[in-house]
Amino acid sequence: MKAKAAVLFEVGKRLELCDVDVAAPQAGEVLIRMAAGGVCHSDLHAMTGHLVASLPAILGHEGAGVVADVGSGVTSLKPGDHVIPLWRLSCGVCEFCSDGRPALCNAGLQVRMTGRFLDGTTRFSLSGREIKHFAGVSTFSEYSVVPEKAVLKIPDDLPLDKAALLGCAVITGYGAVVNCAKVKPGGSVVVFGAGGVGLNAIQGAAIAGAEKIIAVDLVPRKLEYARQFGATHVVNASDGDPVAAVRALTGGRGVDYAFEVIGLPKTMRQAYDCLAKRGVCVVVGVAPMAMEISVPVMTLVYEERVLTGSVYGSSRPAIDIPKLIALYRAGKLKLDELLTRTYPFREINEAYAALERGEVARSVVTF
Ligand code: APR
Ligand code: ZN
Ligand code: ZN
């Protein structure tokens, strides 16, 4: 079948809308008619080359849709089911999957790096040329084939445009706080970057009962969003050294938890520098592969600080996403407020331009 899809042919180029060929789902695969695709910065990182992607590929890794067809042997899903594709495939049986760390599964990493399914092939092509599956899910396509193991069924009554956000922005930001750092009630938190993912780190900290939640960004509008999502204090980094501002807000002590949700070595170091003794800094943002950061050894040893990273919210999506849905239904998780703009699919490049300009909390394209 044919589908309209947003293809990245080369680093440095914008997305091209093409009518690609989509092959039927094979054994253990599912065809999804996409309803909404989330406009996340990671796709922009792929366009700029900060994030390595096998090209040409159909981008998009956040989304929600309806199952249109299933391949042989698929038992957990049927046509008509509402689903979220999961951008990190997990095999379910390896050391990491068995340990509740599916985002670290090597099978998922292989799909991510090659843009091909585990059998080494793709289901997309254009005039006979192979087109890759970005993150294994390619949500910027009217139709996408996804392995059953990377598809999560969600309730039918959840609006699909908002459900899409659960699959990356929400689970990544919230999970970094709740699963990775395990923020405790009464703790103090700083979040660098109040974008789609960072706002979810902020609301995760609020839900976890953090007492002081400081948001750092450069854009006043983002700092307003941050307050709406639970920040108790905001710091505009363009007004001066944000580390000094965070230290001042904590009486010189520093914070218990710092999150970097931008993807710059400079802000990763700033986040680390905000820590109190025994503080934990979690890097969520994606920097270019060759980038390094350094920290003073003395603070690691004599202050017992921790520097770590978190991928996909260190989550178990099949357990965490239903919990997030329950929090949303209970009025505790802000999803409606997160979705600040919706674009028709054909305006996807404009949606990315608006993300770069800092105009949105999170946006989606709809099909
Ligand atoms: N200091 C403070 N804030 C900054 C700085 C800076 N030097 N540079 C950028 N920002 C802010 C932007 O203003 C924006 O609000 O960081 C925020 C980034 O948000 P988005 O562009 O919405 O990106 P998002 O989709 O949230 O992704 C953030 O997480 O998953 C990763 O790959 C993703 O690295 C990306 C990061
Ligand atoms: Zn595995
Ligand atoms: Zn993302």
Side-chain angles (χ1 to χ4, degrees):
M1 70 186 303
K2 293 273 184 199
K4 185 83 66 204
V7 183
L8 180 66
F9 285 94
E10 262 178 68
V11 164
K13 295 267 165 65
R14 284 297 177 173
L15 300 173
E16 276 185 46
L17 289 187
C18 304
D19 290 309
V20 300
D21 289 297
V22 185
Q26 297 185 6
E29 297 173 0
V30 176
L31 178 72
I32 302 172
R33 180 167 54 77
M34 221 54 80
V39 178
C40 179
H41 211 115
S42 298
D43 303 281
L44 194 57
H45 286 321
M47 293 179 224
T48 57
H50 285 189
L51 197 64
V52 176
S54 188
L55 302 178
I58 297 173
L59 294 198
H61 61 283
E62 189 176 273
V66 180
V67 173
D69 194 9
V70 297
S72 63
V74 171
T75 53
S76 65
L77 297 160
K78 59 180 188 315
D81 283 349
H82 288 207
V83 292
I84 293 176
L86 304 174
W87 59 253
R88 196 42 82 81
L89 174 83
S90 54
C91 74
V93 295
C94 73
E95 170 192 354
F96 300 104
C97 288
S98 304
D99 196 31
R101 295 283 174 201
L104 300 180
C105 178
N106 285 330
L109 188 64
Q110 183 182 326
V111 171
R112 166 70 188 84
M113 295 317 289
T114 62
R116 299 188 177 105
F117 291 164
L118 292 174
D119 66 0
T121 64
T122 75
R123 304 294 167 265
F124 294 126
S125 60
L126 183 65
S127 309
R129 180 183 182 190
E130 177 187 56
I131 304 286
K132 309 279 178 58
H133 300 259
F134 179 67
V137 291
S138 294
T139 55
F140 295 155
S141 178
E142 288 170 328
Y143 285 90
S144 188
V145 175
V146 180
E148 179 186 15
K149 282 182 174 155
V151 181
L152 186 76
K153 186 169 156 33
I154 56 167
D156 290 355
D157 61 339
L158 209 60
L160 286 165
D161 53 352
K162 285 154 193 161
L165 309 181
L166 295 170
C168 185
V170 181
I171 197 165
T172 301
Y174 179 93
V177 169
V178 172
N179 299 326
C180 183
K182 299 189 169 63
V183 167
K184 294 194 182 76
S188 50
V189 172
V190 66
V191 177
F192 282 77
V197 183
L199 289 170
N200 284 290
I202 291 166
Q203 71 169 332
I207 292 169
E211 190 231 325
K212 194 169 275 179
I213 304 172
I214 306 165
V216 182
D217 206 291
L218 299 167
V219 180
R221 187 191 290 108
K222 296 300 180 85
L223 295 173
E224 283 166 32
Y225 288 141
R227 282 198 188 277
Q228 195 190 352
F229 278 73
T232 56
H233 301 79
V234 298
V235 170
N236 191 326
S238 46
D239 291 343
D241 177 18
V243 178
V246 171
R247 289 225 165 251
L249 286 169
T250 53
R253 174 186 180 271
V255 293
D256 300 313
Y257 310 94
F259 298 88
E260 200 277 357
V261 203
I262 303 165
L264 299 171
K266 180 179 159 199
T267 43
M268 291 172 191
R269 174 63 195 266
Q270 288 173 340
Y272 179 86
D273 286 343
C274 289
L275 291 179
K277 287 177 189 165
R278 305 213 70 210
V280 178
C281 175
V282 180
V283 174
V284 179
V286 176
M289 274 191 117
M291 288 280 189
E292 295 183 357
I293 57 167
S294 63
V295 296
V297 175
M298 290 298 279
T299 56
L300 277 177
V301 178
Y302 287 97
E303 297 190 9
E304 296 191 351
R305 295 193 199 183
V306 177
L307 175 61
T308 185
S310 174
V311 60
Y312 213 176
S314 310
S315 67
R316 293 172 295 169
I319 292 173
D320 290 351
I321 289 178
K323 281 189 189 167
L324 291 168
I325 293 171
L327 283 171
Y328 170 60
R329 293 206 206 271
K332 292 180 181 157
L333 185 88
K334 293 181 169 51
L335 262 189
D336 300 336
E337 298 82 347
L338 188 61
L339 183 60
T340 48
R341 210 176 282 177
T342 299
Y343 291 88
F345 182 45
R346 64 175 183 282
E347 292 177 18
I348 189 159
N349 284 312
E350 172 50 27
Y352 273 98
L355 177 77
E356 275 184 300
R357 291 193 299 265
E359 289 176 9
V360 291
R362 193 60 145 200
S363 68
V364 296
V365 292
T366 53
F367 296 89

